[in-house]
Amino acid sequence: MKKRVTKYVESAVKTVAAARGFSANDLPEIGVELPREKAFGDFSTNIAMQLARHWRDNPRRIGQDILAELEKESELSAVTIAGPGFINMTLNISLWHQRLKEIHGLQEDFGKLDYGADKRVLVEFVSANPTGPLHIGHGRGAAVGDVLARLLKRTGFIVDREYYVNDAGNQMQVLGRSLRWRYLELLEKRHGEIPEGYYRGEYLLDLARKLMAEQGRELVSPEVAEEDDTALDFFTSFAADSILGGIRNDLELFGVGFEYWTSEKEFFTSGKVDAALAELQTKKVLYEEEGATWFASSRFGDEKDRVVVRANGVKTYFASDIAYHRDKFARGYDLLVDIWGADHHGYVPRLSAAIEALGGKPDSFAAILVQLVSLSRGGTPVAMSTRSGEFITLEEVVREVGRDAARYFFLTRDSNSHLEFDLELAKSKNNDNPVYYAQYAHARICSILRKIEVEGLCDKAVDTFSGASLTLPEELDLIKKLDSLPDLLERAARTLEPHRLTYYLDDLATQLHSYYNRNRVISEEQEVSGDRLLLFATVRQVLAICLTLLGVSAPEKM
RNA sequence: GCCCCCAUAGCUCAGGUGGAUAGAGCACCGGAUUCCUAAUCCGGGUGCCGCGUGUUCGAGUCGCGCUGGGGGCACCA
């Protein structure tokens, strides 16, 4: 509807511009928005104030001219000028009724947009190192990434999800040593404090037990020195494979799946890292200094240059990441979205620099930084991580509060804000819990629809009603809220802000609950009942669309 | 020291490309069920939008400076 109104305004402004002798091509973008106060009408525009600057005239006088044009539009029932020069417009009520029918007719396709124009997007997220189980912070990244992917898909992008497995580098060596130490501990050949820098989590002890049960007690000589590499590769890959398997299970439990799992190691073994460096060499953005090879990222906005090959000849993580992102573009993606923990923010400029150096457009790469999650239980903070390496895992959280609540909670805040996750609140089955609020709205409507069905209260099909008896303000508000979904989805996709969905859902549920308490749907008046059923069926449909986008279930009974 | 993020009601937080009287939930108090699910609804009040300054018709929103909190500043990943 907004687009429709924008067209009216645009055409009116063009006419006025012509009459005043201004070019119709040189106009500011027409902004149409929902007025703050309902009393002002359905839509409003500040175009007269925008034009006042260019045309050097009083905004109210310009507004009068535009208003005169808009009044010729038969679909508008009222047009007024208010305040400093806002033009407020009210649509003919029958248009809203038509719109309701239209939305209902679209069924689950309502809100499928072509905004993305089939551009290919790769959303890379979680990508936790396979050195330990996922914790709650990874859960937030997983929820944000997965819902963003769903959102982009719905708004017309072609989307793939990817998990980048950091299975190369020092940390893998350390992981192998840590597991080997635990294994020897079980053989009573290691005692006391775990060596400095090793992974300390209990999960490695569990893995060592599993390893011993499956493979026996003679994998390595008990007398092996810590710095000795004997059998280390075996321990490393056993640990990495097991942990990665656990991560996959946790994500599956959380309802998150990936099209691709990409291995960092393969970028080294396949020569892609060398190829990427060679390309940078050709572009003359690499240089040697103090025995190392540097990428001149400061030429592309980074604060200083970065090492890609160390003096000892070993390539850095940054080097493989350049190769990785180069490869993403080579795979045909138009837009790369990476979701990282906020502690990686210093990394954004250098990777952007590399992408730019390789010829990528600046807006073809976006990094979403997800802030920390602090966990509490009934208001009391729960320690996230201690020196012993113990923390609350994602699996524990999902098992305790459920997938729906966990996913929903992770999306109740802008990624940029810290999130406090309270386990008791997420578990509670009362009105404190926003997840159930939205789901309950859905279940309530389903209950009415069931009642109609079972008792045969309505002998006509719901979609044969016109909606014409829906004239209460709260009925029109509901229709307007439904109508605004595509606009919301487009904005959420444009700004890469999936959390907007939970706010929309909460608003819609509030309106529904309020209406439900004030008005009866089923009554003796056939037309009124039918129209209200049409409204409710459509609200249900939109609730289900939003819940599904969040990866949260839409229960028919609660 | 430099860089990034945050700062809005008692608490947790929303606030579109700058627009009309800055919102919600929680907490607190009171009320609603002969009738479609009370996991619901209705009513009650609260703000130097951290401070200062600039830009302009207009700033919670944009610029600059400051204060406070978090994070980052590796030839780690």
Side-chain angles (χ1 to χ4, degrees):
Chain A
M1 287 298 240
K2 190 166 159 180
K3 286 186 174 147
R4 197 159 168 169
V5 171
T6 306
K7 273 184 192 156
Y8 301 156
V9 176
E10 198 175 354
S11 132
V13 168
K14 278 184 178 163
T15 309
V16 173
R20 285 173 169 245
F22 291 101
S23 161
N25 300 321
D26 193 25
L27 297 170
E29 199 182 334
I30 311 274
V32 170
E33 53 190 47
L34 306 178
R36 188 175 300 269
E37 293 291 328
K38 282 186 286 188
F40 293 148
D42 296 338
F43 294 98
S44 85
T45 178
N46 63 355
I47 189 67
M49 288 179 281
Q50 301 276 348
L51 290 169
R53 202 167 306 173
H54 301 293
W55 292 357
R56 299 187 164 279
D57 193 3
N58 182 314
R60 290 195 68 110
R61 205 150 49 213
I62 294 172
Q64 280 301 339
D65 290 358
I66 298 171
L67 180 142
E69 284 305 312
L70 285 172
E71 280 182 332
K72 296 176 188 165
E73 179 53 62
S74 63
E75 293 188 341
L76 295 174
S77 65
V79 188
T80 56
I81 297 188
F86 291 99
I87 300 175
N88 295 322
M89 294 158 283
T90 305
L91 288 169
N92 221 315
I93 193 169
S94 63
L95 260 69
W96 288 114
H97 297 148
Q98 279 171 32
R99 179 61 175 150
L100 176 64
K101 288 216 68 163
E102 195 180 312
I103 294 169
H104 184 256
L106 286 168
Q107 308 248 329
E108 303 309 310
D109 287 339
F110 176 57
K112 281 189 182 163
L113 311 180
D114 53 13
Y115 168 72
D118 284 342
K119 273 191 271 186
R120 298 189 61 206
V121 186
L122 185 68
V123 183
E124 183 218 320
F125 59 108
V126 188
S127 299
N129 298 342
T131 55
L134 297 179
H135 56 69
I136 191 164
H138 296 125
R140 186 177 187 188
V144 169
D146 183 55
V147 175
L148 181 64
R150 291 169 190 244
L151 178 67
L152 291 174
K153 200 167 179 181
R154 192 159 188 102
T155 51
F157 293 88
I158 296 169
V159 185
D160 289 319
R161 297 168 177 81
E162 181 154 291
Y163 187 118
Y164 186 50
V165 184
N166 297 125
D167 51 5
N170 291 339
Q171 51 170 359
M172 285 295 108
Q173 299 288 309
V174 174
L175 179 67
R177 287 184 203 283
S178 305
L179 178 62
R180 192 175 65 182
W181 195 92
R182 287 293 200 176
Y183 177 83
L184 292 169
E185 185 186 34
L186 286 178
L187 290 175
E188 301 186 351
K189 292 294 175 187
R190 289 290 186 276
H191 306 278
E193 193 70 6
I194 299 171
E196 191 61 34
Y198 280 25
Y199 294 103
R200 294 161 179 276
E202 288 290 313
Y203 58 91
L204 282 176
L205 189 56
D206 295 340
L207 266 188
R209 286 199 190 95
K210 185 177 154 205
L211 184 57
M212 194 168 284
E214 288 176 10
Q215 304 276 339
R217 306 169 67 90
E218 288 164 13
L219 290 169
V220 61
S221 160
E223 313 312 329
V224 68
E226 276 309 303
E227 47 293 350
D228 195 314
D229 284 347
T230 305
L232 200 57
D233 285 349
F234 175 80
F235 282 97
T236 301
S237 52
F238 182 84
D241 290 350
S242 306
I243 292 171
L244 198 60
I247 287 173
R248 282 175 190 263
N249 288 341
D250 292 353
L251 288 167
E252 195 175 328
L253 183 71
F254 196 44
V256 174
F258 293 86
E259 275 76 22
Y260 301 107
W261 295 74
T262 301
S263 153
E264 180 190 2
K265 206 157 54 181
E266 283 171 23
F267 282 91
F268 287 108
T269 55
S270 65
K272 283 179 176 168
V273 175
D274 293 326
L277 292 180
E279 186 178 340
L280 289 174
Q281 188 70 262
T282 320
K283 308 241 180 186
K284 302 198 188 311
V285 291
L286 295 186
Y287 62 90
E288 305 283 327
E289 195 174 292
E290 295 174 14
T293 307
W294 298 70
F295 164 52
S297 52
S298 61
R299 277 197 248 160
F300 303 91
D302 195 9
E303 58 186 67
K304 59 180 183 179
D305 295 346
R306 309 289 173 175
V307 170
V308 286
V309 185
R310 299 198 280 265
N312 64 9
V314 177
K315 295 168 193 92
T316 62
Y317 173 80
F318 181 43
S320 65
D321 221 19
I322 293 172
Y324 175 40
H325 285 80
R326 177 174 176 262
D327 194 56
K328 287 182 181 179
F329 283 116
R331 285 156 64 191
Y333 293 104
D334 304 299
L335 173 64
L336 309 182
V337 180
D338 287 12
I339 293 170
W340 298 339
D343 55 344
H344 287 69
H345 69 79
Y347 198 77
V348 179
R350 79 188 70 165
L351 192 56
S352 302
I355 286 169
E356 196 183 331
L358 291 168
K361 289 184 206 139
D363 59 355
S364 60
F365 168 69
I368 295 180
L369 300 171
V370 180
Q371 293 286 342
L372 283 174
V373 180
S374 54
L375 202 59
S376 63
R377 186 181 289 283
T380 316
V382 175
M384 276 295 291
S385 173
T386 64
R387 210 174 164 284
S388 69
E390 297 302 321
F391 40 71
I392 305 267
T393 64
L394 176 62
E395 184 193 0
E396 287 167 327
V397 172
V398 174
R399 292 209 186 281
E400 182 170 346
V401 310
R403 181 200 283 190
D404 287 349
R407 291 184 67 114
Y408 195 99
F409 266 82
F410 283 132
L411 287 155
T412 55
R413 298 280 176 269
D414 183 347
S415 300
N416 261 329
S417 297
H418 287 240
L419 171 68
E420 194 175 324
F421 191 108
D422 195 294
L423 291 164
E424 289 305 319
L425 179 60
K427 252 195 323 191
S428 67
K429 300 208 167 182
N430 58 38
N431 53 0
D432 295 350
N433 192 331
V435 187
Y436 292 105
Y437 189 76
Q439 290 182 319
Y440 185 51
H442 186 269
R444 264 188 154 171
I445 297 174
C446 289
S447 168
I448 294 182
L449 298 177
R450 264 196 309 274
K451 194 176 175 75
I452 298 305
E453 183 89 17
V454 171
E455 302 186 12
L457 295 175
C458 187
D459 51 13
K460 289 206 276 180
V462 166
D463 56 12
T464 59
F465 289 90
S466 68
S469 65
L470 301 173
T471 54
L472 295 171
E474 57 264 37
E475 288 167 339
L476 289 175
D477 286 346
L478 269 168
I479 298 173
K480 287 177 195 174
K481 192 72 195 176
L482 298 173
D483 169 62
S484 71
L485 179 73
D487 193 46
L488 170 98
L489 295 179
E490 184 178 316
R491 194 164 66 238
R494 188 180 64 238
T495 57
L496 305 176
E497 291 175 342
H499 74 282
R500 291 175 180 280
L501 268 169
T502 55
Y503 284 91
Y504 176 84
L505 203 43
D506 202 63
D507 282 351
L508 181 57
T510 300
Q511 285 186 32
L512 188 278
H513 286 309
S514 176
Y515 182 87
Y516 181 94
N517 276 275
R518 202 190 296 253
N519 304 287
R520 281 193 61 81
V521 174
I522 300 168
S523 71
E524 294 76 36
E525 290 176 77
Q526 181 78 190
E527 281 307 305
V528 173
S529 291
D531 284 349
R532 288 180 176 179
L533 281 170
L534 174 67
L535 178 61
F536 267 48
T538 314
V539 172
R540 188 214 61 78
Q541 163 193 324
V542 171
L543 287 169
I545 288 169
C546 292
L547 287 167
T548 305
L549 274 172
L550 290 170
V552 171
S553 66
E556 300 195 353
K557 278 182 187 173
M558 286 176 77

